[in-house]
Amino acid sequence: MNHKMFSQVFCTDNVNKNASGTVALASTLENAKMLSLLALIVPLIVSTSCDEVSSLNNRSFPTNFKFGAATASYQIEGGWNADGKGENLWDWYTHTFPDKIQNRDNGDVACNSYYKWKEDIQLLKDLGVNHYRLSLSWSRILPNGTVNNVNQKGINYYINILETLRANNIEPLVTLYHWDLPLVFHELGGWYNPLLADYFAEYARLCFKVFGKYVKTWITINEPQTTCVQGYGIGGKAPGYLHSGEGVYQCAFTNVLAHAKAYHVYDKEFRASQNGRVSIVLDSAWAEAASDKPEDVLAAETAMAFSMGLYANPIYNGNWPQIVIDRVGNRSLNEGFPASRLPQFTPEQIQLIKGTSDFFCLNTYATSYSQYQNTVNESIGTPDYHLDMGVRSYRDPSWSAVVDWVALVPWGFRSLLNYVWNQYDGVNEIVVTENGWADVESTLNDTARITYVSEYLSALLDAYYEDGVNVTGYTVWSLLDNFEWTNGYTQKLGIVQVDFNDPDRTRTPKESYGWYKGVIARRCLLESCVN
């Protein structure tokens, strides 16, 4: 039984449309046992308010709530081979397979932040943020990935940034790994190879040692789900592998093991002297049941277990989610495998991994409906992560969206916050480390972004005040328009425009920058709030 009490506020307008377009109203729960069961399976959805969806929460943000903005090293730095930096996975991928990237773009120059980092920090200072989430380039610090070859120029680059952030009263939230794996480890199997967990722990130890005096909040790994499903399962991102049946799970195994080993390095060797904290960034869309049929409710539970749960459950609750163990195991045996395609943790590994998080970091951009598909005994002989899941996911076409991975569904965000709060043991704080709006036009008049972020922040306040979810921070993605992986520069998520046709990569704040600055200054979504 979960240690927290699940709470929701319902009203007659809090409804969601199911797959057939009918309206499902939240029903009254008869007893506490049913309430707890529902919290573990699929929290009821509520909209952002009991009025129109555009009505914003008029409560002030809590006094301890922190606002921030985020970037990542490969997406903004450029300087891909400058000052001793080694080659990484995305350098190799964009250079070797340019046709896999929109417009054959790459991150060789990106936003040129390797040389323009002072300008970026000035933008952050003028914005008034409390924190800046950035990532370190592993191969800029360790050109061949290992600690026997340290690049002091790379270390100095990050020390300069961290010192300047601190001097401007901006807290750095530092991510050790945001997808730019040193190429040597890709050649050794990448995240398929469990030895990578030990190399990552050594890299983390070095970073804790040389940067720890400036950093109080560490994030080990960014979005392992996206790495494993997109990079190693369906080939949508580097390294572009198509091993959905086994690769996703082996990648997940190595990622959570690497995170845990890095966490213990900090816990045992640095926490007492540096007094910082460590977590991992997990990403997920919210999975809403397509109907109130038991099989669709189970489908939503299953979708969450295979997306977020595959990574969160070992860290917070111990071991893989049971439904993942059962489904992958059953299909593996029916396919003729001698054992499950899902790697098995040893009892020692379960204990090593469980509890390795000081707070919960959440990235999210969208919501989908989940509908049951009977794949348990179907398509046997074709090992596949999505067939293991047995869920059809789809979006409501009425939801506002420009790209296929971002949609305006604030009630889904609120439900996801509730789910994290109630599903995982030991979560006493949630920090939203990425959320933002994507468009494809480089416009300064980005009112759609203001609408998206304001409604998501309103849903966050609803979760905090109405549901008792202790969410203490929000980080908009992104500070800058940047290299969006295989989408190149065709998708814009920045609150600051970057002119990629200008060799100087000129920055120009958008309307959303000024709007966000105002929200931070008054700590309120409206011109005035009730508290």
Side-chain angles (χ1 to χ4, degrees):
M1 189 63 61
N2 200 285
H3 70 286
K4 302 189 190 78
M5 178 175 290
F6 179 74
S7 62
Q8 282 281 27
V9 174
F10 300 99
C11 62
T12 55
D13 290 334
N14 284 341
V15 299
N16 74 83
K17 294 183 178 180
N18 64 19
S20 62
T22 60
V23 176
L25 292 177
S27 61
T28 302
L29 295 171
E30 296 291 337
N31 53 57
K33 182 178 179 181
M34 182 62 72
L35 180 62
S36 297
L37 177 62
L38 185 60
L40 287 169
I41 295 177
V42 52
L44 290 172
I45 302 304
V46 292
S47 62
T48 55
S49 75
C50 293
D51 301 311
E52 296 181 21
V53 72
S54 60
S55 178
L56 300 178
N57 191 301
N58 67 345
R59 304 285 292 272
S60 295
F61 287 90
T63 56
N64 67 335
F65 189 89
K66 295 181 178 180
F67 295 92
T71 62
S73 54
Y74 185 78
Q75 295 180 267
I76 69 163
E77 283 181 3
W80 80 275
N81 60 354
D83 294 334
K85 176 186 166 294
E87 190 173 7
N88 67 44
L89 174 64
W90 277 90
D91 295 326
W92 168 82
Y93 191 70
T94 57
H95 296 162
T96 306
F97 305 107
D99 290 337
K100 292 185 183 247
I101 316 298
Q102 289 289 317
N103 298 330
R104 299 171 67 91
D105 289 331
N106 58 54
D108 289 4
V109 178
C111 303
N112 207 25
S113 289
Y114 187 67
Y115 300 101
K116 294 174 70 71
W117 60 269
K118 291 181 181 178
E119 187 174 339
D120 295 344
I121 294 178
Q122 187 61 49
L123 285 165
L124 291 164
K125 181 181 180 181
D126 293 343
L127 186 59
V129 293
N130 306 109
H131 67 255
Y132 175 44
R133 183 179 167 224
L134 69 155
S135 74
L136 308 178
S137 170
W138 189 342
S139 61
R140 194 178 296 283
I141 296 167
L142 301 175
N144 65 352
T146 55
V147 294
N148 67 310
N149 180 17
V150 178
N151 180 25
Q152 190 60 46
K153 289 184 178 179
I155 289 175
N156 292 343
Y157 169 69
Y158 292 115
I159 287 177
N160 288 335
I161 290 175
L162 296 172
E163 284 182 334
T164 307
L165 288 170
R166 285 295 185 187
N168 286 283
N169 200 31
I170 301 170
E171 178 188 1
L173 274 57
V174 176
T175 304
L176 293 171
Y177 177 74
H178 197 125
W179 302 358
D180 45 357
L181 189 70
L183 186 60
V184 63
F185 295 135
H186 165 66
E187 294 170 342
L188 291 173
W191 290 104
Y192 289 156
N193 186 348
L195 291 177
L196 184 52
D198 294 313
Y199 286 112
F200 181 75
E202 290 299 322
Y203 161 61
R205 176 180 283 109
L206 175 69
C207 291
F208 298 149
K209 180 179 179 181
V210 298
F211 305 125
K213 65 182 291 187
Y214 312 104
V215 180
K216 298 302 180 185
T217 301
W218 292 98
I219 296 164
T220 55
I221 295 170
N222 178 75
E223 295 186 357
Q225 180 197 198
T226 301
T227 295
C228 296
V229 175
Q230 291 285 330
Y232 291 83
I234 63 176
K237 288 183 169 58
Y241 287 165
L242 299 169
H243 297 301
S244 182
E246 295 174 285
V248 172
Y249 306 121
Q250 184 59 50
C251 174
F253 176 90
T254 305
N255 266 269
V256 296
L257 189 61
H259 158 75
K261 291 190 174 188
Y263 178 93
H264 285 293
V265 167
Y266 191 85
D267 198 45
K268 294 176 182 178
E269 301 176 28
F270 298 95
R271 188 185 297 275
S273 61
Q274 296 181 2
N275 196 32
R277 58 183 189 162
V278 183
S279 189
I280 181 173
V281 162
L282 301 181
D283 67 304
S284 182
W286 169 244
E288 166 71 353
S291 75
D292 59 1
K293 296 177 181 177
E295 58 267 31
D296 287 343
V297 173
L298 178 61
E301 176 193 3
T302 304
M304 292 305 300
F306 272 81
S307 57
M308 176 172 286
L310 199 62
Y311 311 89
N313 213 77
I315 294 169
Y316 293 95
N317 295 349
N319 210 346
W320 308 115
Q322 191 61 46
I323 197 166
V324 175
I325 294 172
D326 294 343
R327 284 180 174 266
V328 180
N330 290 337
R331 281 187 56 87
S332 298
L333 294 177
N334 289 335
E335 290 160 349
F337 287 89
S340 177
R341 290 180 274 105
L342 182 69
Q344 184 176 353
F345 291 118
T346 66
E348 293 77 16
Q349 288 170 333
I350 290 174
Q351 292 304 310
L352 179 77
I353 296 167
K354 185 178 180 181
T356 54
S357 176
D358 300 322
F359 62 107
F360 198 105
C361 294
L362 176 65
N363 287 7
T364 188
Y365 292 89
T367 290
S368 63
Y369 284 118
S370 295
Q371 190 174 49
Y372 170 74
Q373 284 188 319
N374 183 15
T375 61
V376 175
N377 296 307
E378 293 180 359
S379 303
I380 297 302
T382 308
D384 183 270
Y385 164 81
H386 293 95
L387 291 176
D388 292 338
M389 193 186 316
V391 175
R392 174 180 174 251
S393 296
Y394 63 94
R395 305 275 176 85
D396 186 329
S398 70
W399 293 341
S400 179
V402 177
V403 302
D404 61 2
W405 57 282
V406 180
L408 176 59
V409 194
W411 57 258
F413 179 46
R414 180 176 177 181
S415 294
L416 182 60
L417 290 169
N418 271 279
Y419 179 87
V420 169
W421 185 247
N422 289 280
Q423 179 73 12
Y424 299 114
D425 295 340
V427 176
N428 55 19
E429 178 186 355
I430 300 172
V431 176
V432 179
T433 40
E434 278 187 35
N435 177 249
W437 177 253
D439 53 44
V440 295
E441 296 182 0
S442 184
T443 177
L444 297 177
N445 182 25
D446 58 339
T447 55
R449 176 167 292 106
I450 295 172
T451 298
Y452 178 96
V453 176
S454 64
E455 293 195 16
Y456 272 64
L457 281 171
S458 181
L460 182 153
L461 287 171
D462 291 341
Y464 180 87
Y465 283 112
E466 306 298 337
D467 308 335
V469 179
N470 186 33
V471 54
T472 64
Y474 177 88
T475 316
V476 68
W477 183 273
S478 167
L479 175 66
L480 306 171
D481 288 339
N482 55 48
F483 179 81
E484 286 294 338
W485 311 109
T486 53
N487 295 307
Y489 300 102
T490 64
Q491 296 185 1
K492 316 294 184 181
L493 285 97
I495 58 174
V496 174
Q497 180 191 80
V498 177
D499 185 353
F500 295 105
N501 295 315
D502 182 350
D504 191 47
R505 299 299 195 264
T506 302
R507 282 101 157 107
T508 306
K510 303 178 185 179
E511 287 188 15
S512 59
Y513 177 96
W515 170 84
Y516 192 43
K517 179 177 181 177
V519 170
I520 296 170
R522 65 180 178 266
R523 305 189 67 79
C524 178
L525 291 172
L526 306 175
E527 288 304 315
S528 62
C529 283
V530 296
N531 64 331

